[in-house]
Amino acid sequence: MGKGGQSCNGMVRQAKPVEQENMAAWLVDVNTIKILPFKLPSIGPNDVRIRIKAVGICGSDVHYLKTMKCADFEVKEPMVIGHECAGIVDKVGSEVKHLVPGDRVAVEPGISCARCQQCKGGRYNLCPDMKFFATPPVHGSLANQIVHPADLCFKLPENVSLEEGAMCEPLSVGVHACRRANVGPETTVLIIGAGPIGLVSVLAARAFGAPRIVIVDMDDKRLAMAKSLGADEAVKVSTKMEDLDDEVAEIKEAMISEVDVTFDCVGFNKTMSTGLNATRPGGKVCLVGMGHGVMTVPLTPAAAREVDVVGVFRYQNTWPLCLEFLRSGKIDVKPLITHRFGFTEKEVEEAFATSARGGNAIKVMFKL
């Protein structure tokens, strides 16, 4: 008999295709990631199974790899890494109506409880029981397949790629920051830090209509990238506190008008002090980066000028707007994707090493 069948009492029947084992990138120890089997939960009526096709590396992933910790979270047992992702729907639960197998989707990585006061008030990003990809003990999404609630999976417009879909996650931080600060066509914006979050904040602020954006960093290449993405002026600064007054004067000169809103995308003593001193009376300073857990900053003089300090934590209800920005061309995230790797153990190691080195690496992306 020919290939692809079995004979049984003269009958021919097709052999069932062997289902490939689901593999994932597991963080097993400091600086150690292994590709190992990852058993998925069964699909609930409101879930979908997704074949992951694009995953970006976030700074938090690198922190976990280097120290097994990030902020107050500690990896105490092996964990699947990754949370910036997009893929193709493979299977849908019985109650899922808006997605079908074959749909390309961007994935929001946090599952809130939907019952607590924060969730019911619409600020589900502050849910105390949030289950967020690759935040211990919750597994992440750098895997062949994942199972996820369908309402957290957003169909990609035809002209938006899977890689761009994965970029909705970091872009969401910038979008949420702009919403928190009420950025609009009359809002001048200072962005401190030209890392990935600072750069997506440039894109978001421009899309929200900010008429003038000034960005600050220590690295000339990052500042040049920020200008190419839409920043009007770039100011190079140092790490020295004694340079702060001169740098604030330079920032104000670069802005021409007053600084209405500052996004501190670093979160160090000096960066926050810079933001508080540079922002106009009655303005806002949004703390987006969380570099230092405890800071010493000139809060009293800022309070005397009624400068509001606004916290920014992750995001809420941002994926539809991000996808519309991408679909319309109002935001182009493609220049941020500087490196691409496949999904072998060696390539995963190389990708994380590339991301950790920084340099010209902005967003490192896995193509599965």
Side-chain angles (χ1 to χ4, degrees):
M1 62 177 288
K3 293 181 179 178
Q6 301 176 18
S7 178
C8 180
N9 296 328
M11 301 284 289
V12 176
R13 62 185 184 189
Q14 286 298 113
K16 286 186 178 180
V18 177
E19 194 165 310
Q20 197 170 0
E21 190 168 27
N22 189 43
M23 305 298 284
W26 290 78
L27 176 60
V28 297
D29 206 342
V30 173
N31 292 323
T32 307
I33 293 179
K34 299 287 185 185
I35 293 184
L36 299 167
F38 178 32
K39 185 174 175 58
L40 294 178
S42 57
I43 299 176
N46 296 300
D47 295 335
V48 292
R49 188 172 69 199
I50 304 165
R51 286 182 282 122
I52 295 296
K53 292 297 179 183
V55 181
I57 296 179
C58 174
S60 64
D61 297 321
V62 175
H63 274 293
Y64 283 125
L65 177 63
K66 287 182 168 294
T67 67
M68 302 293 278
K69 294 179 182 178
C70 187
D72 295 330
F73 297 98
E74 183 176 357
V75 180
K76 296 180 179 178
E77 55 187 35
M79 178 186 77
V80 177
I81 202 80
H83 63 268
E84 304 176 0
C85 62
I88 299 172
V89 174
D90 184 60
K91 188 175 180 180
V92 301
S94 59
E95 298 298 317
V96 176
K97 307 301 182 190
H98 70 291
L99 295 172
V100 296
D103 282 345
R104 301 176 314 126
V105 292
V107 179
E108 182 171 351
I111 306 171
S112 61
C113 77
R115 295 182 299 275
C116 69
Q117 184 177 353
Q118 299 297 342
C119 286
K120 287 184 175 181
R123 303 183 74 175
Y124 66 85
N125 56 312
L126 305 179
C127 174
D129 294 321
M130 176 71 78
K131 293 178 172 59
F132 196 91
F133 281 165
T135 300
V138 181
H139 291 304
S141 59
L142 184 47
N144 297 131
Q145 294 186 336
I146 63 167
V147 170
H148 204 56
D151 67 326
L152 296 173
C153 301
F154 299 85
K155 189 173 178 178
L156 298 180
E158 287 185 7
N159 65 335
V160 175
S161 70
L162 286 157
E163 286 188 339
E164 291 172 279
M167 288 295 293
C168 283
E169 199 281 337
L171 179 58
S172 285
V173 178
V175 167
H176 183 55
C178 285
R179 284 176 171 171
R180 290 278 288 150
N182 296 315
V183 171
E186 296 181 324
T187 314
T188 60
V189 177
L190 168 65
I191 296 172
I192 302 176
I197 295 301
L199 294 175
V200 296
S201 296
V202 170
L203 294 172
R206 184 60 80 210
F208 272 73
R212 190 162 182 83
I213 301 168
V214 173
I215 190 155
V216 168
D217 200 274
M218 301 183 299
D219 187 279
D220 287 320
K221 289 181 179 177
R222 291 295 176 99
L223 290 172
M225 170 63 82
K227 289 196 74 173
S228 74
L229 294 172
D232 295 288
E233 289 294 339
V235 176
K236 188 175 182 180
V237 295
S238 74
T239 58
K240 299 174 184 175
M241 286 297 290
E242 56 264 33
D243 294 337
L244 191 145
D245 289 342
D246 289 341
E247 290 167 358
V248 166
E250 190 176 351
I251 288 165
K252 289 180 177 179
E253 186 177 342
M255 189 61 83
I256 301 175
S257 58
E258 292 184 303
V259 176
D260 295 319
V261 168
T262 295
F263 293 145
D264 180 359
C265 298
V266 182
F268 288 169
N269 288 334
K270 189 189 174 189
T271 58
M272 195 61 179
S273 297
T274 299
L276 290 169
N277 288 352
T279 304
R280 68 165 173 82
K284 293 184 178 72
V285 176
C286 292
L287 182 55
V288 184
M290 297 183 179
H292 287 161
V294 177
M295 286 190 276
T296 302
V297 297
L299 200 55
T300 304
R305 291 165 31 243
E306 291 196 352
V307 174
D308 294 339
V309 176
V310 179
V312 175
F313 184 65
R314 292 175 180 159
Y315 34 69
Q316 62 194 35
N317 300 311
T318 49
W319 259 252
L321 182 55
C322 288
L323 289 173
E324 175 55 24
F325 280 152
L326 296 175
R327 184 204 64 78
S328 65
K330 207 166 185 181
I331 286 180
D332 182 8
V333 292
K334 293 189 292 293
L336 297 177
I337 305 170
T338 54
H339 295 75
R340 293 172 174 84
F341 290 86
F343 189 50
T344 65
E345 206 163 90
K346 183 179 180 183
E347 286 178 291
V348 170
E349 289 176 3
E350 290 175 356
F352 273 90
T354 300
S355 184
R357 277 195 303 270
N360 66 342
I362 298 173
K363 182 55 63 177
V364 178
M365 187 74 66
F366 292 105
K367 298 188 75 173
L368 283 77

